[in-house]
Amino acid sequence: MSKSRIVTWIAVLAAFCTGMSMGQELRWFKGNTHAHTTKSDGDATPRQAVRWYQDHEYNFLVITDHDHLTPVRTLDTDPADDFLLIAGEELGASVQKKPVHVCGINLGREVASQRGETIAEALQKDIDTVRAAGGIPQINHPNWKWAFTDAEMRGLRDVRLLEVINANRDCNNAGAGGRPGTEEIWDRLLTGGMRIWAVATDDTHTYFGDWTPEKACPGRGWVVVRAAELTPAAVTGALERGDFYASTGVVLKEVRAGEKEYAVEVEPESDFTYSVRFIGREGRLLQEVHGTKAAYAVRGDEGYVRVKVVCSSGEVALTQPVFVGKAE
């Protein structure tokens, strides 16, 4: 998404919930919340990683090296540009021979994973650790090595972000063979009443050489937040509230979520065609519209309503749910 395509998000419900004035100008900001450098297992230095995202018209980046907090002050030196670097770190533990990883976004200091006897305990401890350091936690790639499902996440507290799309092929987003995909896991959590938002990331490790499918390359998954300004507080506040969408390539021109109607408009590209799917409790399809504009009349008994936009290119966008009635 180029800077010229940053547009106002008309989101009545979101503005009401956050206490923002409807006269306040809100914009889209594109960013990535999960990326690695040579400070852990990436092949680019922090400065080279920042340059890649700047050159490809991202508005913000969170460098999340494993168990290392990269200082951002010397890497993000121009407060007047349209790019923001946010301090981050990926906490990792092996529990029951499974990888349990949580990103800390906008951390005030470096932290260490606290581990735990069970996967649920390890997740909660690292969530609490991130919060104590002033950051916001993001649960990463549950289907990487089939680490955990909604069963381990149902009772978690104080977490709002789940990596539903990790663009790397070894993260098993789609599920199969009797195992749930990450979107199904997300719907199970939402059906149980958990307020948790879908994130897409590229979990970058490889910036150089041939970008073959098995490599973790940049530019394959991101979030687009709705905020009044490009600051760490504004970006992380939007992430916490769910004022953003996740994408692997689809650009949304408008999202309007209200008590009576949920509507979206897609920014079309090339000769691609689009289907807009409104999804409710248990992942049920409520309505499907073919085209770039769609609206759903909320009945009140859906539990929640969210949107998935599917493009003929294979790319998708996920919006965050609006909860209505009882999420049984």
Side-chain angles (χ1 to χ4, degrees):
M1 183 182 66
S2 68
K3 295 179 179 64
S4 63
R5 293 170 69 182
I6 296 174
V7 296
T8 301
W9 184 6
I10 306 170
V12 176
L13 182 61
F16 173 78
C17 291
T18 61
M20 292 180 177
S21 166
M22 289 306 297
Q24 189 173 9
E25 181 183 2
L26 302 172
R27 297 187 292 158
W28 292 122
F29 295 107
K30 176 181 176 179
N32 181 34
T33 62
H34 190 176
H36 298 276
T37 75
T38 52
K39 295 298 182 180
S40 60
D41 53 353
D43 68 354
T45 67
R47 192 171 298 279
Q48 289 170 323
V50 169
R51 177 54 60 189
W52 191 96
Y53 285 95
Q54 283 182 307
D55 288 347
H56 291 81
E57 298 183 325
Y58 281 66
N59 299 111
F60 68 90
L61 171 66
V62 188
I63 294 178
T64 54
D65 279 310
H66 296 284
D67 306 308
H68 176 81
L69 184 70
T70 297
V72 301
R73 185 174 299 176
T74 59
L75 295 172
D76 190 9
T77 58
D78 185 357
D81 67 8
D82 201 15
F83 184 82
L84 175 69
L85 186 60
I86 300 174
E89 179 185 350
E90 185 172 20
L91 285 68
S94 178
V95 182
Q96 299 169 351
K97 298 183 179 180
K98 298 294 184 180
V100 179
H101 291 191
V102 173
C103 274
I105 299 170
N106 201 28
L107 289 170
R109 55 182 170 81
E110 187 171 292
V111 295
S113 175
Q114 300 302 299
R115 308 184 186 278
E117 295 298 320
T118 66
I119 290 173
E121 182 184 6
L123 284 168
Q124 189 63 63
K125 282 187 174 183
D126 282 350
I127 289 166
D128 294 343
T129 297
V130 168
R131 290 291 185 187
I136 64 172
Q138 171 183 296
I139 299 173
N140 292 339
H141 42 57
N143 274 1
W144 183 47
K145 300 186 183 297
W146 307 107
F148 51 90
T149 68
D150 54 292
E152 290 82 6
M153 291 187 281
R154 288 174 193 159
L156 298 179
R157 306 176 305 278
D158 211 17
V159 60
R160 290 289 178 265
L161 303 180
L162 173 63
E163 198 177 57
V164 174
I165 299 175
N166 181 304
N168 295 304
R169 67 196 298 259
D170 62 354
C171 286
N172 302 301
N173 294 321
R179 296 180 184 270
T182 51
E183 194 174 347
E184 181 180 348
I185 290 171
W186 182 39
D187 274 313
R188 290 178 181 180
L189 294 173
L190 297 178
T191 298
M194 190 172 183
R195 268 59 172 172
I196 193 162
W197 321 128
V199 172
T201 79
D202 48 32
D203 188 5
T204 315
H205 291 72
T206 303
Y207 299 81
F208 304 113
D210 295 331
W211 286 12
T212 50
E214 73 277 7
K215 292 183 179 179
C217 304
R220 295 175 175 173
W222 56 84
V223 294
V224 188
V225 305
R226 164 191 177 271
E229 58 184 357
L230 188 60
T231 63
V235 169
T236 55
L239 289 171
E240 287 270 59
R241 294 188 302 269
D243 286 0
F244 69 97
Y245 67 89
S247 180
T248 62
V250 174
V251 176
L252 299 184
K253 186 176 181 180
E254 181 180 355
V255 176
R256 188 173 64 251
E259 295 179 352
K260 296 183 179 180
E261 183 180 76
Y262 201 136
V264 299
E265 181 177 355
V266 179
E267 184 74 44
E269 181 183 354
S270 186
D271 63 347
F272 297 156
T273 55
Y274 300 86
S275 292
V276 181
R277 298 171 184 169
F278 295 90
I279 297 169
R281 181 189 298 119
E282 297 178 348
R284 295 172 183 166
L285 180 64
L286 303 171
Q287 178 179 308
E288 184 170 25
V289 177
H290 303 310
T292 58
K293 292 184 179 181
Y296 174 78
V298 178
R299 300 190 307 266
D301 63 351
E302 296 93 341
Y304 59 88
V305 179
R306 66 176 182 86
V307 172
K308 180 177 185 177
V309 180
V310 179
C311 179
S312 58
S313 65
E315 297 163 332
V316 301
L318 300 175
T319 72
Q320 309 310 330
V322 171
F323 288 85
V324 295
K326 295 182 179 180
E328 297 175 354

